[in-house]
Structure formats: structure tokens, C-alpha cells
Amino acid sequence: MFPDVYSPATASLDLFARSRAAYLLVRDRGGVLVGYSAATMLGADCAPEWAPAEVALPHALDAQPGLRVCRDRIEPADVAEAHNCLVTTAARTAWDLARRLDLVEAVVAVDALARLGAFRPVDLLTCRAKTPGARGCRRLDRVIELADPRAESPAETRLRVGLVLEGLPGPEVQYKILDEYGFVLARVDLAYPSAKLAIEYDGRNHLERRRWERDRERDTRLSGYGWQTLRFGHNDLRAIHQTASKVCALLARRSPSAG
């Protein structure tokens, strides 16, 4: 995988495996896993499949295919251990990713890492106060404004942020819909309660027949309480303008003032 770092030919070469291999390469040179590699090791699902392994070193390293090297000396307070590897902490990892990624993916990373419970998005401002001239730190205010660690998947964050960037009001996240007795009928990914509009992101697991049937049964049950459920998938994220237009039209039609 890297010089003197090997893996069985049948082993998966996902980012987790590639990151562990990268750590073995730099372990004795003072290296630490950072960026998407650190996020993956910590259990935050925010990295794209094609992301290279990422390490930080206090000195230069010869270029290696599939490896992103940052020349930096990570402070001990910013280092944690995960899967027998030294990695940057959740907050430090979020700080690094939020400054370099585009806005939507920066929010995805912050949501996923903050959901681990180690920090609040607003805590990133403390990092900025310590290094006010760091590249990309000015955009943190917008990232923090859009972040919501209650999001349970990167796709859910992308959908919510996409709707907001298209001009829609921010929806409620992981909203509990109650019946007339206060019992929970359902918890939906996103919601506009005043319009009784629920929005769900359906990943691949929702295509399984049993899950599909349960989803439709729940949608029918919610409709009996006046709620309409919109379900979106991967293609709807890619066409976010059209998706937002559909949501906007329904909000206008279902808002209390429309009656």
C-alpha cells in the first residue's frame, strides 16, 4: 500500500484501511492522521470514497500516491488515539476540514464530527481566536451558522443546507411528530411544522422491500394527521434547485396563511 506497508490482496482498501496503512508509514516519524483520515478513524461518516489518506508530519515526506501530506506539528492537546493510531481530535479535525472544504461539505464534516459529542460547532471559534490568521478561518461563521449536529447522515446535511442555500427557511432537524395525546408518531429527518410538511432522505437501505413498505405505512399514518411527506434521494441532491422549488411550492400551498 505504501513503502514497506502491505495488506492481503483480498482485504478491503477503503479509507479506513488506507488510513491505517498511512499511519504505519509515518508512525515512527512523528506523524498523525488528520483531515478525512482522522474523521474516519474517529467514526465520523463524512469522507468521500475517493478521499486520499491524510497525515501531518513535522518534516517533509516523499510524495506517495494516495497520500495527502501536511507539514505541521500537531500540539499534544489536539491529538487523540483511535484504532491504535494517533489522530487529531474531533474538534481539531473539524477545524482543519471546515477551513478547506467547500461550504456544504464543510458543514457535513462539522455536523458529523460534532455529533460524536466531543464539541459544539461554536467551539471552533475558540480555535480561530488562537490562530486568527489561519487560512480559511473567516468562513467559519457561515459554517457554524449552518451546522446542526442532530443530523444523522451526510446526505441529510447536504439536503438541509442545499434547501437553505436555495433561499428556503431552515427546517427543523430530526423532528418528532406527536399525536393528540403527545405520543410520538414519527421522527422525521427534516420538517416544516407550520405547514405540516415532513422531508425524508432515502438512502439505499430504504429501497429494501420491507423498509419501503414500512416507510409507506408511516407516510399514510402521518397523512391521517394532516402531514405530507416528501422523500428525496441521491438524484434530488444533484438537482437541488429543482428539489428546493418543489419544497417551496408545497410550503406556499400548505402554509396557514395560504388558506
Side-chain angles (χ1 to χ4, degrees):
M1 298 179 72
F2 296 109
D4 296 322
V5 180
Y6 302 91
S7 174
T10 56
S12 170
L13 296 183
D14 57 13
L15 182 57
F16 184 91
R18 289 183 279 114
S19 297
R20 293 193 68 182
Y23 181 70
L24 292 177
L25 177 69
V26 302
R27 177 181 57 188
D28 297 330
R29 309 181 195 190
V32 176
L33 293 177
V34 298
Y36 277 139
S37 282
T40 298
M41 288 295 177
L42 290 168
D45 178 21
C46 60
E49 294 180 6
W50 46 260
E54 301 184 55
V55 298
L57 284 165
H59 50 76
L61 179 71
D62 292 340
Q64 302 290 337
L67 182 64
R68 187 177 190 269
V69 178
C70 170
R71 189 169 179 179
D72 192 6
R73 190 180 297 273
I74 308 297
E75 295 295 326
D78 291 332
V79 177
E81 184 176 343
H83 300 283
N84 297 317
C85 299
L86 293 182
V87 304
T88 46
T89 61
R92 172 58 193 265
T93 305
W95 160 256
D96 290 338
L97 290 172
R99 290 182 296 118
R100 86 166 198 239
L101 300 176
D102 68 60
L103 180 59
V104 174
E105 292 309 306
V107 178
V108 167
V110 171
D111 277 3
L113 286 157
R115 183 171 172 77
L116 298 175
F119 71 98
R120 301 169 302 162
V122 71
D123 292 340
L124 297 181
L125 295 180
T126 302
C127 299
R128 185 170 67 182
K130 294 178 180 178
T131 53
R135 178 177 297 180
C137 67
R138 292 183 179 179
R139 64 201 300 267
L140 280 179
D141 294 294
R142 185 58 168 152
V143 174
I144 292 169
E145 178 187 357
L146 292 169
D148 192 324
R150 292 175 296 173
E152 294 188 345
S153 72
E156 181 186 319
T157 294
R158 292 185 184 106
L159 178 56
R160 171 174 52 83
V161 175
L163 294 177
V164 172
L165 294 181
E166 287 291 329
L168 289 171
E172 297 290 335
V173 178
Q174 293 300 319
Y175 185 77
K176 293 180 179 179
I177 300 175
L178 309 179
D179 66 12
E180 64 271 29
Y181 303 107
F183 292 104
V184 178
L185 288 169
R187 181 165 59 89
V188 297
D189 293 340
L190 306 170
Y192 291 99
S194 63
K196 287 193 172 183
L197 181 62
I199 299 174
E200 295 278 68
Y201 180 84
D202 287 351
R204 294 178 181 177
N205 62 321
H206 286 262
L207 299 178
E208 298 173 1
R209 183 169 183 82
R210 288 186 178 180
R211 181 63 182 269
W212 186 90
E213 291 175 348
R214 289 199 302 268
D215 288 343
R216 294 323 182 264
E217 288 174 2
R218 193 184 73 163
D219 294 350
T220 300
R221 184 167 66 252
L222 292 181
S223 69
Y225 286 84
W227 282 79
Q228 180 172 346
T229 303
L230 286 178
R231 293 187 173 275
F232 295 118
H234 176 70
N235 290 335
D236 300 299
L237 286 181
R238 298 180 64 180
I240 191 63
H241 179 72
Q242 290 86 340
T243 299
S245 295
K246 183 175 183 179
V247 174
C248 184
L250 277 173
L251 284 178
R253 190 183 313 154
R254 296 177 60 84
S255 65
S257 60

